[in-house]
Structures are given as structure tokens and as C-alpha cells.
């Protein structure tokens, strides 16, 4: 079968998490900072390390079969690719921001104003949708300094914590798009069995991240009440302990309501609770 190629970011915010995800999928490869391509030794796959902006087009044109890139970059490059799997990292929001002392209060106030951005395509779509005619000034970096220099009245950029905005005398004004990393593929190749296999592996890693493996001890009379609190993949495993009248209960608990569940379990008589990370969940 033909060897697949997956394009990931060479260096930057998505690089480390992309490499980690592929390694957690059981793929073995060298990750030299200097190389542009790496061969996976235990799966017919090659990894191309590229600038993130180039990834969508490489996948669209078939130079790579798959890619990991931010949704923001895909929207900006307007390519035809298939969206295979959201990956839960690289989360950020693209926002409009204005100076703290501005007169701009509503979206309509942007009419006729200049907005600096590295994302002209996404911004144009948003402005058109809201029927606002503003001037888009495309710059490639340090967008946040442009209002202070008198180069624009507002900016449109990625904001994660808002710290950079603050230190430049800016405040967020409107959220336009939220983004995270996504696995994309070439259109028409979705049914390739190797691609399906990789998607399955990625999903099993993502599922495991959302859950913890929990082992706890309980007196037999408390078991019924404790089980009621446990969702589990199926029903929990119950193992007798050496001490008469006691059992160990094994189960998985979703990360999101983890602490709440632990409090309830303790109140129901659970003791010696051990929590472990899960590597993969294969359904
Ligand atoms: P490259 O050299 O590959 O072109 P870059 O400088 O364009 O890198 P990075 O800053 O590494 O890109 O960001 C890559 C992606 O990470 C962004 O496109 C976005 O999807 C995501 N991201 C998550 N949080 C942030 C953030 N706080 N600022 C910028 N990008 C973020
Ligand atoms: Zn880039």
C-alpha cells in the first residue's frame, strides 16, 4: 500500500503537541529539529515538517495526504480539504480589538475605519456578513502595535490570554472565530484504510485524555450506592479484597466532573482512592 504523508508544523505552537499526538498513536519516528522529513518505522507514513501556512495547500494539492493545522489557517487559505478530526489543542480565538480610549463602541462604528490584521480573508468575510465597509490593512506580524503607531483604528488577531492586548493599550471588542488544531485530509481519500486506521488511533488517544482510571476500596454494604455514582465504560469491575467484607472497585471517570465525583464517592464510603492516567481507550 502507498506510504502516506502527513504534514505538521516544523516549529511553533502546534509542533510539540502534534509530535506528541503521533507518538501516542504508537508511531515511532525520529524528530530531528533539522530535518524536513521523517520516516515512521512501524507504519507506512512519512512526516513532513512545514510552516503551518503551507500545510492546507500541500494537502489540497496532494503533496501530503494529511495535515495537522489550526482551523484559522484553513479558513484563511480557503482550500478544499476534508475535515477529519478536531484535536483539542492549539485553542485560540480570533478577535477584533480596539484601543482603551476609543470611540468605537459598536460594530457599526468600524465603518470607514482601518483594521490591521494577518487574517484578511476571515476578516473580510466577517465584515461583509455584518455589512461593514472598513479598510483592511494586511500586515504579517506584530499587529497589536499598529493602533499605537497610528496605522489602524482597530486590529483583528489571535488572542489567547489577552496579555499582549493589554500591554499595548488594547481591549477585546468582538469574538469572530474560535479555532483549534484539526486533522485534515485530501478530498476523496477519506476511505483509505491507512487513514481510517490513523483516525481510529487518534480517537482512542483523545478519548483516553478525557478520562481517568480509578481504583477504590469499599465495604460490601456501600458497594451498591457507590456503583450508582459511576458511569464507567460498561459496569465497574469489582474484586474481593483479602479482608473479609471489603472489595476494590475499578472504573473510569470523565475528567470534566472528576472532583465532584470523588467527593460524592468519599461521602458514599469509598476509601484509598487511586487515580491513574489512561493511555488509550479502544471501543
Ligand atoms: P510558522 O512558522 O509555522 O508559520 P506561526 O508563527 O505562523 O508559525 P504559531 O504562532 O506557531 O504560528 O501558531 C500556530 C497556530 O497555533 C496558530 O495558527 C493557531 O492556530 C494556534 N494558536 C494557539 N494559540 C495561539 C496564540 N496564543 N497565538 C497564536 N497562535 C495560536
Ligand atoms: Zn504561520
Amino acid at each position: 500500500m502507498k506510504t502516506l504523508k502527513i504534514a505538521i508544523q516544523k516549529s511553533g505552537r502546534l509542533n510539540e503537541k502534534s509530535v506528541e499526538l503521533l507518538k501516542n498513536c504508537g508511531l515511532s519516528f525520529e524528530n530531528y529539529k533539522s530535518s524536513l522529513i521523517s520516516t515512521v518505522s512501524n507504519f507506512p507514513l512519512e512526516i513532513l515538517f512545514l510552516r503551518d501556512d503551507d500545510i492546507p495547500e500541500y494537502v489540497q494539492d496532494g503533496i501530503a495526504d494529511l495535515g495537522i493545522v489550526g482551523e484559522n489557517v484553513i479558513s484563511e487559505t480557503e482550500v478544499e480539504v476534508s475535515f477529519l478530526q478536531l484535536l483539542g489543542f492549539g485553542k485560540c480565538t480570533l478577535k477584533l480589538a480596539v484601543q482603551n480610549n476609543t470611540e468605537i463602541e459598536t460594530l457599526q462604528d468600524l465603518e470607514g475605519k482601518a483594521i490591521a490584521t494577518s487574517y484578511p480573508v476571515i476578516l473580510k468575510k466577517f465584515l461583509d456578513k455584518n455589512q461593514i465597509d472598513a479598510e483592511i490593512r494586511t500586515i504579517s506580524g506584530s499587529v497589536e502595535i499598529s493602533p499605537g503607531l497610528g496605522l489602524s483604528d482597530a486590529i483583528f488577531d489571535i488572542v489567547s490570554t489577552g496579555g499582549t492586548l493589554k500591554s499595548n493599550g488594547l481591549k477585546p471588542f468582538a469574538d469572530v472565530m474560535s479555532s483549534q488544531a484539526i486533522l485534515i485530509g485530501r478530498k476523496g481519500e477519506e476511505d483509505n484504510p491507512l487513514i481510517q486506521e490513523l483516525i481510529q488511533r487518534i480517537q482512542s488517544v483523545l478519548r483516553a485524555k478525557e478520562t481517568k482510571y480509578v481504583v477504590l476500596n469499599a465495604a460490601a454494604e456501600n458497594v451498591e450506592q457507590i456503583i450508582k455514582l459511576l458511569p464507567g465504560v460498561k459496569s465497574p469491575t469489582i474484586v474481593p479484597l483479602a479482608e473479609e467484607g471489603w472489595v476494590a472497585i475499578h472504573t473510569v471517570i470523565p475528567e470534566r466532573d472528576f472532583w465532584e465525583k470523588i467527593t460524592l464517592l468519599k461521602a458514599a464510603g469509598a476509601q484509598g482512592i487511586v487515580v491513574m492516567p489512561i493511555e488509550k481507550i479502544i471501543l
Side-chain angles (χ1 to χ4, degrees):
M1 207 173 279
K2 178 185 155 248
T3 299
L4 292 180
K5 292 194 177 73
I6 184 167
I8 67 172
Q9 194 188 23
K10 179 166 175 56
S11 64
R13 288 190 159 89
L14 301 181
N15 166 268
E16 208 173 296
K17 289 275 173 60
S18 305
V19 168
E20 182 187 300
L21 176 66
L22 296 178
K23 296 231 158 168
N24 286 340
C25 286
L27 304 175
S28 264
F29 57 94
E30 302 289 353
N31 179 26
Y32 297 123
K33 282 274 166 260
S34 57
S35 67
L36 292 175
I37 187 159
S38 186
T39 304
V40 174
S41 62
N42 57 355
F43 197 86
L45 182 69
E46 281 173 348
I47 302 170
L48 312 181
F49 297 93
L50 301 172
R51 282 203 57 194
D52 67 345
D53 315 66
D54 298 332
I55 293 175
E57 276 165 23
Y58 270 53
V59 171
Q60 173 184 257
D61 300 345
I63 296 162
D65 306 278
L66 298 165
I68 295 179
V69 70
E71 294 175 288
N72 54 320
V73 176
I74 299 173
S75 302
E76 187 60 31
T77 41
E78 293 187 298
V79 288
E80 289 281 322
V81 293
S82 52
F83 301 136
L84 299 176
Q85 177 67 46
L86 285 171
L87 300 174
F89 61 85
K91 287 188 176 166
C92 56
T93 309
L94 282 85
K95 298 187 188 197
L96 281 160
V98 291
Q99 284 180 298
N100 287 326
N101 58 0
T102 184
E103 292 149 16
I104 299 169
E105 276 166 8
T106 67
L107 276 180
Q108 271 58 43
D109 295 340
L110 288 171
E111 183 76 28
K113 298 281 195 291
I115 309 172
T117 189
S118 318
Y119 293 95
V121 174
I122 299 173
L123 177 58
K124 176 85 171 62
K125 276 201 189 131
F126 176 78
L127 293 174
D128 286 352
K129 200 177 82 196
N130 288 283
Q131 298 177 338
I132 295 161
D133 192 11
E135 185 196 336
I136 298 174
R137 300 219 166 127
T138 307
I139 46 181
S140 59
S142 305
V143 170
E144 63 286 344
I145 62 171
S146 90
L149 296 174
L151 295 173
S152 69
D153 305 290
I155 67 161
F156 174 61
D157 203 4
I158 289 182
V159 177
S160 43
T161 60
T164 316
L165 288 186
K166 223 180 199 164
S167 57
N168 285 283
L170 301 171
K171 59 181 182 191
F173 173 63
D175 289 6
V176 173
M177 175 188 180
S178 59
S179 171
Q180 60 176 287
I182 186 171
L183 177 75
I184 54 169
R186 193 178 180 203
K187 277 239 177 275
E189 273 193 15
E190 299 83 359
D191 296 336
N192 177 325
L194 288 177
I195 292 179
Q196 284 303 321
E197 164 78 25
L198 258 187
I199 295 174
Q200 298 295 325
R201 290 196 193 187
I202 288 173
Q203 287 175 346
S204 78
V205 172
L206 296 177
R207 233 178 264 130
K209 269 222 176 89
E210 290 160 12
T211 44
K212 297 277 180 227
Y213 193 90
V214 176
V215 181
L216 55 89
N217 294 337
E221 67 263 27
N222 293 328
V223 168
E224 199 181 330
Q225 209 199 333
I226 288 174
I227 289 178
K228 278 197 197 128
L229 296 168
L230 301 174
V233 172
K234 274 213 175 113
S235 65
T237 308
I238 300 179
V239 192
L241 293 184
E243 191 178 333
E244 187 78 24
W246 280 78
V247 295
I249 300 177
H250 294 231
T251 191
V252 297
I253 292 184
E255 177 88 67
R256 74 192 120 75
D257 53 22
F258 178 75
W259 286 109
E260 191 190 326
K261 269 277 174 324
I262 294 291
T263 309
L264 291 172
L265 287 170
K266 274 162 77 178
Q271 295 181 13
I273 303 173
V274 177
V275 181
M276 287 163 278
I278 301 176
E279 202 174 293
K280 294 176 184 67
I281 296 182
I282 296 144
L283 296 179

